[in-house]
Amino acid sequence: MPIPVPKRVIPPASSYVVPPVPEKWGRTSVSIAGRNGEGEAISLTSFSDDAWPAIIMQPGATGLDAPPYALFSDDSPNLDGSIFRSTRAAAREIMIPVYLYGIDRPSVNRIKRQLFQALNPKRGYCVLRFTEGDSQTRLLKAYYKGGMEGSEASDTAGFTWTKYGLTFSAMDPWWYQTRYEVIRWDFGEGEPLLSSSQAFFPMRISSGVMSGGPNITISNSGDIEAWPIWALKGPIKTFALIGPYGDTIKASAPADGSDLIPTGRVVTIDTRPGYKTVMDDQGVNYWSRLDTNPQFWSVEPGDTTVSISVVTGVGKASVSLTYLPRYASYV
């Protein structure tokens, strides 16, 4: 005689108990965007009673503050211990616990598929976006590593809900802000305050000209050095970009007296690791035109004193510095 199987009773949606967003994350906006950050952003903290089904970030996230460091040393045959050689920030491992909540079985399954499609590392990295209160937003690029394997244990999944511990690996361990910092200096003769070709009234005031010099202060709000991108707009005959410790990027004037960077042309010097290019806006490689042994230098956190020297051709030239501050934590 077959054993009767009791019929499963599904409670009405109004009786489901949804874990609230933890108080800490209630003050922080958190979202994930896949496909190299170009996919639809999935919020982990905007849940409310009238906005479900949803994915809710839970307590227990790890790896969001300072990155781990790899230490390099040499053993000594005659001395105790080791001799420190160098260190570098290693890839960051992150775990984010989430609670997926649906109003019925199809809705929670739909959320599962949506989340996996967004996290799939074959489609690129994910961008984790954290904004605490009114402070600035921090971004981190990380690849999904695991956590959605799933478990049907009674404390990890139900008919309309499931819990995951999403793990990510951030090859670049630093958090970034959403906008670049840009500083510009103008060189050459500016326009006179009073025009010789136009009437005195109405008065027209020309913008001033800011020049470089031996004591220029650059402020980096980040926690670690930032690598600048320089843009030099001609006419420029020669230039020198000197860092706080004497490291110099320099290009001397051509022997024939012509402009090193012609009028209207822009040469970009990208000092970021993995890039290291010197090219103008028409694709001409200017690396060979730099003086021997250029030393690309970084902007240290806090205030840095540098020097910018430019000899212009006939007209106004400019130099701009662009950098993206890097942070150890999401706050």
Side-chain angles (χ1 to χ4, degrees):
M1 181 177 180
I3 300 175
V5 178
K7 184 178 180 180
R8 185 173 184 180
V9 178
I10 302 175
S14 60
S15 66
Y16 297 158
V17 178
V18 183
V21 176
E23 180 183 356
K24 176 179 180 179
W25 302 123
R27 300 192 304 268
T28 305
S29 173
V30 183
S31 67
I32 300 177
R35 302 183 183 181
N36 294 332
E38 298 179 358
E40 180 181 358
I42 299 176
S43 175
L44 305 183
T45 54
S46 63
F47 181 84
S48 61
D49 291 340
D50 59 352
W52 45 290
I55 304 173
I56 311 167
M57 186 171 177
Q58 294 295 286
T62 60
L64 299 178
D65 289 322
Y69 275 82
L71 302 178
F72 301 94
S73 62
D74 293 333
D75 292 335
S76 172
N78 300 320
L79 300 175
D80 295 337
S82 301
I83 301 174
F84 174 79
R85 291 301 182 190
S86 63
T87 184
R88 67 175 182 84
R92 179 196 296 264
E93 300 294 321
I94 294 174
M95 193 281 290
I96 299 179
V98 295
Y99 184 101
L100 278 63
Y101 178 72
I103 57 176
D104 52 25
R105 190 65 176 173
S107 64
V108 73
N109 289 338
R110 184 172 62 253
I111 297 175
K112 288 182 182 180
R113 291 192 296 271
Q114 177 190 9
L115 185 60
F116 174 73
Q117 291 174 6
L119 301 183
N120 187 350
K122 287 189 174 183
R123 296 187 174 185
Y125 57 79
C126 298
V127 173
L128 308 181
R129 177 186 291 261
F130 281 68
T131 305
E132 181 164 318
D134 296 330
S135 63
Q136 202 162 30
T137 298
R138 302 278 185 262
L139 305 178
L140 180 74
K141 297 177 181 179
Y143 288 88
Y144 168 73
K145 191 175 181 180
M148 284 194 67
E149 293 79 6
S151 170
E152 293 304 318
S154 60
D155 60 341
T156 57
F159 189 74
T160 61
W161 61 275
T162 190
K163 293 191 292 186
Y164 295 131
L166 305 177
T167 58
F168 299 86
S169 182
M171 309 306 173
D172 180 349
W174 302 108
W175 294 87
Y176 292 83
Q177 67 183 33
T178 55
R179 61 180 179 84
Y180 284 85
E181 300 290 338
V182 181
I183 308 172
R184 171 176 166 157
W185 299 272
D186 290 332
F187 299 84
E189 295 184 2
E191 299 176 4
L193 173 63
L194 302 180
S195 174
S196 59
S197 60
Q198 299 185 18
F200 182 79
F201 290 106
M203 180 177 288
R204 182 175 60 90
I205 300 178
S206 303
S207 59
V209 176
M210 180 185 298
S211 63
N215 295 306
I216 296 174
T217 300
I218 302 173
S219 296
N220 177 7
S221 62
D223 299 322
I224 195 72
E225 72 273 3
W227 292 91
I229 302 173
W230 298 93
L232 297 93
K233 183 177 181 180
I236 294 177
K237 290 186 176 298
T238 180
F239 67 86
L241 313 174
I242 305 172
Y245 305 109
D247 296 338
T248 303
I249 306 171
K250 183 180 179 181
S252 300
D256 60 4
S258 62
D259 291 338
L260 175 71
I261 304 175
T263 301
R265 300 278 285 276
V266 178
V267 171
T268 300
I269 304 176
D270 193 339
T271 69
R272 294 175 297 172
Y275 294 86
K276 306 294 186 185
T277 58
V278 184
M279 190 171 296
D280 75 358
D281 53 331
Q282 296 185 2
V284 178
N285 192 337
Y286 266 68
W287 189 279
S288 62
R289 307 185 193 188
L290 298 180
D291 286 9
T292 304
N293 190 27
Q295 299 168 317
F296 290 175
W297 46 271
S298 60
V299 179
E300 297 294 326
D303 292 340
T304 299
T305 300
V306 303
S307 175
I308 300 176
S309 175
V310 172
V311 176
T312 66
V314 179
K316 294 177 61 177
S318 67
V319 174
S320 65
L321 178 153
T322 302
Y323 67 94
L324 195 58
R326 305 189 293 175
Y327 301 88
S329 176
Y330 69 98
V331 293

